[in-house]
Amino acid sequence: MYNNEPKERVYGWGRTTFSNSMVYRPSSIIQIHSIIEDAKKRKLKITCRGSGRSYGDNTLNSNQIVLDISEMNKILSWDKETGLIVAESGATIEKIILKCVPDGWLFPSMPGTRFVSLAGALGNNVHGKNEFHRGCIGEYVQSFDAILADNKLYTCSRDKNVELFYSIISGIGLLGVIVNVSINLRKIPSYYVNGNVKKNKNFKELIEEYETIKGDFEYSIAWIDAIKSGKGLGRGEINFGNLINDNDYTIHDHEIPKRLSIGISNDFLPLITKRILNVHTMKLVNWLQINLGSMSSDVQKTKVSLSKYHYLMDMKFPKYNFFFKHGFFEYQAILPIQFCMKGFEELLKITHKYGFYSLMSSLKAYRNQKEDFLLHFPLEGFSMTMDIPKEENKISQQVKMFFEMNEKVIEYGGRINFGKTPILNLEHFENMYPNSKEFINIKNKYDPDYLFESNMFRRIMNITREGCEVPSIYSI
Ligand SMILES: Cc1cc2nc3c(=O)[nH]c(=O)nc-3n(C[C@H](O)[C@H](O)[C@H](O)COP(=O)(O)OP(=O)(O)OC[C@H]3O[C@@H](n4cnc5c(N)ncnc54)[C@H](O)[C@@H]3O)c2cc1C
């Protein structure tokens, strides 16, 4: 029996939650078929996992199977004339950058870490700091192959198995296993950006300024001091830039530093931060950032490599997710443009009211989506992330706070991101995601016995299975 097999502890990226699971790392499509066949015989459930960069419980599966695709990571073909790449779905953006940037092509829509797999990129239909210009990755997918619950391989594209194409992309691994992907990369004039910055005194200034910047600069993101209250609520700085037109495709500043610039080893850093990182120390860090710009000055240069510019967290704090004793929640909400100022102010005020402050926050611009992937996160507006350390002995208060924030997000017609910490219940899911019912109908059609489940899915849908009870919201 699988259930007697040794289990591995698998974490969400935010390290607030984990599952003990049978983890399988297939290296071929044939092996995936046999895992599915066995799981069905033994009535076990399968969760798909790529690089495990999602923060919450969408890749966890207590006492069941986690199918980790990361060993299937070969690039199958690369056409440097057309920019079409075909790869196994465990291939990472990192691998594609190293292969294709020297030929003048780039992954069109890169999330804030380059270690995301193609499968995970499709599963959450990821976007980057250029969402306002380039949308999400789904727009660039030509086709993919996925093995569904009937254990058959389906090729999905805009012409073939169209319903599956639009629901597996953004479908958080709940319909089948993506095994390979064809994606159109984008031609670039260089791998370098000119980095600019504008500081702002509060949300009103920040959003008004961002509105004037977002159309002219492809890459942009704002950092926000989420602790400051009163007149300075929402103060921060916008970083923005365009690709430079000099045909320089050398990949510089790519290696992840082993040490911080002040000499402390990145491996050692979490031991310090676990003791000293809190709202008081972050007030000081935020003050330094506002007054000296010390955290982002290295990317505000006339020529800075995209590796450094785009992958700030990978480069600056590769062990960031180990910084907190009980992990951290990353709550990411998006709101329609007309409600951003008011809505984000209210969300921050809720965190202040409960005393669970966001120690790191960012804001990004989004355009209207060109295609309707069923569970996609973006809508025309802005999103804000909030990194809030988990406090185990106050978890019920924290969940209460997040639910209050969800109500606000729903009131303003927004939603929260499944790839970050998905602290939501069924009612929130249905109210935030207009296609949720259609998605569940498609799941019922292609996976009637619910072979593909995750802790997140059982938690939201309130499903109990033998050997795995409904995961509690407090286990998030
Ligand atoms: C530092 C950091 C910055 C980030 N910045 C951004 C950002 O700017 N924009 C953004 O959109 N996201 C961002 N993210 C979130 C991240 O991009 C997404 O969570 C992404 O989906 C993770 O990909 P992964 O390969 O790690 O997949 P996982 O996290 O392992 O899985 C993601 C989803 O895909 C499903 N899945 C995995 N493999 C398969 C498969 N073979 N078949 C079918 N489904 C599968 C999983 O079930 C899961 O639901 C960031 C994450 C981090 C850690």
Side-chain angles (χ1 to χ4, degrees):
M1 280 286 283
Y2 275 115
N3 268 332
N4 295 331
E5 289 177 27
K7 300 189 180 66
E8 270 181 47
R9 184 164 282 196
V10 187
Y11 280 89
W13 185 252
R15 298 190 73 80
T16 56
T17 184
F18 63 85
S19 67
N20 292 317
S21 309
M22 285 80 78
V23 181
Y24 293 92
R25 297 185 176 84
S27 54
S28 69
I29 288 180
I30 294 172
Q31 285 182 10
I32 297 176
H33 282 303
S34 58
I35 291 169
I36 290 179
E37 196 183 312
D38 278 353
K40 286 171 76 160
K41 259 192 228 148
R42 291 159 208 259
K43 299 200 180 328
L44 289 169
K45 304 297 172 191
I46 298 175
T47 292
C48 301
R49 184 168 165 106
S51 303
R53 254 60 182 186
S54 295
Y55 286 69
D57 51 357
N58 60 347
T59 63
L60 309 184
N61 207 5
S62 295
N63 294 320
Q64 308 287 317
I65 295 172
V66 168
L67 192 156
D68 177 334
I69 201 78
S70 57
E71 285 185 10
M72 289 179 63
N73 59 28
K74 286 195 270 312
I75 292 179
L76 302 172
S77 72
W78 164 232
D79 184 338
K80 60 181 168 190
E81 299 307 316
T82 63
L84 183 72
I85 190 159
V86 184
E88 290 180 332
S89 67
T92 56
I93 295 176
E94 162 80 343
K95 192 163 196 171
I96 292 171
I97 288 176
L98 294 175
K99 172 89 181 166
C100 306
V101 165
D103 295 330
W105 296 86
L106 184 67
F107 204 74
S109 174
M110 307 188 292
T113 168
R114 61 189 201 235
F115 300 108
V116 160
S117 67
L118 289 179
L122 267 58
N124 275 318
N125 197 17
V126 300
H127 63 271
K129 295 180 179 64
N130 59 352
E131 210 289 339
F132 186 76
H133 290 258
R134 302 259 166 195
C136 294
I137 195 59
E139 288 183 26
Y140 304 90
V141 175
Q142 196 172 82
S143 65
F144 60 85
D145 290 334
I147 304 176
L148 303 201
D150 61 6
N151 215 353
K152 294 195 178 120
L153 187 106
Y154 292 75
T155 298
C156 307
S157 68
R158 288 173 185 79
D159 305 316
K160 208 171 171 189
N161 295 312
V162 181
E163 181 178 59
L164 287 170
F165 183 79
Y166 285 104
S167 45
I168 290 179
I169 295 179
S170 81
I172 31 179
L174 292 170
L175 294 171
V177 188
I178 302 166
V179 292
N180 52 51
V181 185
S182 306
I183 292 196
N184 293 303
L185 303 192
R186 62 171 290 216
K187 195 105 188 88
I188 42 171
S190 79
Y191 188 59
Y192 291 83
V193 170
N194 60 337
N196 306 283
V197 66
K198 282 244 163 85
K199 288 187 191 290
N200 309 96
K201 291 199 196 82
N202 51 42
F203 254 126
K204 184 167 181 300
E205 263 194 22
L206 186 90
I207 292 199
E208 281 172 1
E209 189 84 68
Y210 209 144
E211 279 289 298
T212 68
I213 285 170
K214 68 182 189 187
D216 294 335
F217 294 88
E218 171 162 354
Y219 292 97
S220 63
I221 188 162
W223 163 82
I224 295 171
D225 175 354
I227 299 173
K228 181 83 181 156
S229 57
K231 283 190 184 142
L233 184 77
R235 69 179 178 178
E237 64 174 43
I238 311 167
N239 283 278
F240 53 98
N242 275 322
L243 290 170
I244 294 169
N245 203 351
D246 70 354
N247 297 321
D248 185 352
Y249 300 112
T250 47
I251 303 178
H252 272 308
D253 287 328
H254 191 74
E255 191 80 8
I256 294 185
K258 296 236 175 327
R259 294 177 178 280
L260 288 183
S261 52
I262 48 172
I264 298 171
S265 140
N266 275 321
D267 288 334
F268 184 64
L269 192 57
L271 295 176
I272 303 175
T273 56
K274 274 184 186 144
R275 285 163 198 271
I276 66 161
L277 204 57
N278 56 41
V279 63
H280 307 294
T281 46
M282 279 313 288
K283 267 187 191 167
L284 176 65
V285 173
N286 290 350
W287 185 90
L288 289 171
Q289 178 60 19
I290 291 289
N291 292 292
L292 308 175
S294 48
M295 263 164 65
S296 55
S297 53
D298 57 338
V299 293
Q300 289 145 17
K301 299 209 167 113
T302 47
K303 184 169 176 178
V304 51
S305 145
L306 260 184
S307 299
K308 192 166 179 178
Y309 189 81
H310 204 281
Y311 296 117
L312 273 181
M313 293 310 280
D314 287 346
M315 299 298 275
K316 277 189 194 286
F317 302 116
K319 291 281 165 72
Y320 177 64
N321 59 330
F322 289 87
F323 277 15
F324 308 94
K325 202 165 167 197
H326 303 293
F328 71 104
F329 304 109
E330 182 157 294
Y331 182 90
Q332 183 174 24
I334 188 162
L335 297 179
I337 203 128
Q338 66 274 28
F339 299 123
C340 286
M341 224 178 291
K342 191 166 185 304
F344 288 140
E345 277 186 4
E346 289 178 13
L347 290 183
L348 280 188
K349 282 181 183 164
I350 294 175
T351 64
H352 294 180
K353 180 178 83 182
Y354 280 84
F356 300 124
Y357 291 86
S358 165
L359 301 189
M360 181 93 83
S361 277
S362 68
L363 191 110
K364 265 189 298 201
Y366 297 74
R367 66 152 154 76
N368 241 332
Q369 297 306 289
K370 291 187 176 157
E371 291 179 286
D372 201 12
F373 296 101
L374 283 197
L375 296 184
H376 66 203
F377 168 68
L379 44 81
E380 191 180 0
F382 285 92
S383 85
M384 181 167 73
T385 58
M386 286 174 249
D387 292 3
I388 298 179
K390 180 173 182 175
E391 295 193 28
E392 272 206 328
N393 53 357
K394 294 184 184 162
I395 184 66
S396 57
Q397 275 298 101
Q398 291 196 299
V399 169
K400 193 169 169 223
M401 175 186 79
F402 286 121
F403 277 21
E404 194 173 323
M405 289 158 76
N406 286 350
E407 296 299 336
K408 270 283 164 239
V409 171
I410 291 165
E411 184 187 329
Y412 290 122
R415 56 184 75 119
I416 66 168
N417 191 344
F418 285 118
K420 303 303 173 69
T421 322
I423 310 182
L424 75 178
N425 62 22
L426 182 57
E427 196 187 326
H428 301 147
F429 171 49
E430 289 179 348
N431 283 321
M432 289 178 184
Y433 283 85
N435 300 323
S436 56
K437 291 227 161 77
E438 191 182 343
F439 180 81
I440 297 297
N441 288 341
I442 290 173
K443 174 145 181 81
N444 290 337
K445 177 171 161 190
Y446 290 98
D447 184 14
D449 298 324
Y450 283 23
L451 174 67
F452 295 100
E453 286 186 359
S454 60
N455 278 10
M456 177 185 86
F457 184 69
R458 281 191 291 276
R459 178 170 61 72
I460 294 176
M461 303 302 290
N462 218 6
I463 298 171
T464 304
R465 299 279 176 218
E466 207 185 314
C468 55
E469 288 169 3
V470 180
S472 153
I473 184 67
Y474 302 116
S475 69
I476 183 88

